Amino acid sequence: MDASVVVLSVVVLLFAVASAVLGFVAESKTLTPDEIEYSGGVCVYPAKPAYMLGICAAALLAAAQIIVSVAGVCCGCFKPRGGAPGPKRKKAASSIVLSWVAAAAAAASYAQGVSWNAATTRGAVVDGLFIKCEYLRGAVFRRAALLGLAAAVLGICAYAILRERPGDEPKPDGQQPAVGGAQNAQQQVAPLPPQVVSTV
């Protein structure tokens, strides 16, 4: 495996795992219905630790995506080498697209969780004789954390596919291609010296 793939994998996974950990912690610090107060005809929402945790998690996820994308562009992996893209390039392109789709979905979930855990006021919902205050349901931070990990793995896979060398793959019959074999054969075969034939 290419050394750059190993380094990139370690760096991106560190950011992605840190983002996921913050996401799971934020899930345990979200707002509960008992913490919402009703005053003056509006619902008062207090600030929760999940607000800052969600922002930090989203920032780490964005950093991981930027690193894996910039690394591919800087090394020239995404530049076509002439002709139509091969199966590997198509597979890598699909992986990077899915990676950004997962990252965008994770960012949207983080944004939703952050907005509902900020200190603010919202109008109450009147349901017959009851007055209700809406709150966020569903494990949005947990979903965002899992999507962020999936995005990082897909991005690393795309980079690893594009960094593979053609000579590293075995032939269909299982034989490895010989590098420089034809040149060595030409160098070993030396031309015969010309013969002088005398006629009397």
Side-chain angles (χ1 to χ4, degrees):
M1 183 180 291
D2 197 325
S4 63
V5 177
V6 177
V7 174
L8 182 78
S9 301
V10 172
V11 174
V12 173
L13 284 178
L14 282 176
F15 279 94
V17 170
S19 174
V21 170
L22 291 179
F24 284 115
V25 175
E27 185 64 37
S28 64
K29 303 292 184 180
T30 54
L31 184 70
T32 60
D34 297 335
E35 297 173 327
I36 304 173
E37 297 181 358
Y38 180 76
S39 176
V42 295
C43 299
V44 181
Y45 296 79
K48 295 292 294 181
Y51 175 77
M52 286 304 302
L53 290 172
I55 293 176
C56 294
L60 289 172
L61 174 61
Q65 286 298 114
I66 292 173
I67 289 172
V68 73
S69 299
V70 171
V73 173
C74 290
C75 73
C77 290
F78 294 101
K79 295 180 181 179
R81 299 179 180 177
K88 281 187 178 181
R89 195 168 295 276
K90 291 181 180 179
K91 186 177 180 180
S94 301
S95 297
I96 198 66
V97 169
L98 290 175
S99 174
W100 275 104
V101 170
S109 296
Y110 277 130
Q112 183 183 15
V114 166
S115 64
W116 279 96
N117 284 275
T120 185
T121 57
R122 292 185 175 90
V125 178
V126 179
D127 185 9
L129 300 177
F130 299 95
I131 298 177
K132 297 181 179 180
C133 294
E134 295 182 345
Y135 65 97
L136 184 63
R137 297 176 177 85
V140 291
F141 286 113
R142 189 181 307 152
R143 179 172 66 246
L146 295 176
L147 286 171
L149 288 175
V153 171
L154 287 170
I156 292 172
C157 290
Y159 181 79
I161 292 172
L162 291 172
R163 290 291 296 177
E164 286 183 0
R165 300 176 182 176
D168 295 340
E169 294 185 350
K171 293 182 178 180
D173 57 358
Q175 298 178 356
Q176 292 289 343
V179 179
Q183 296 179 357
N184 294 335
Q186 292 178 359
Q187 293 177 0
Q188 292 176 0
V189 178
L192 296 175
Q195 297 180 358
V196 179
V197 180
S198 60
T199 58
V200 179

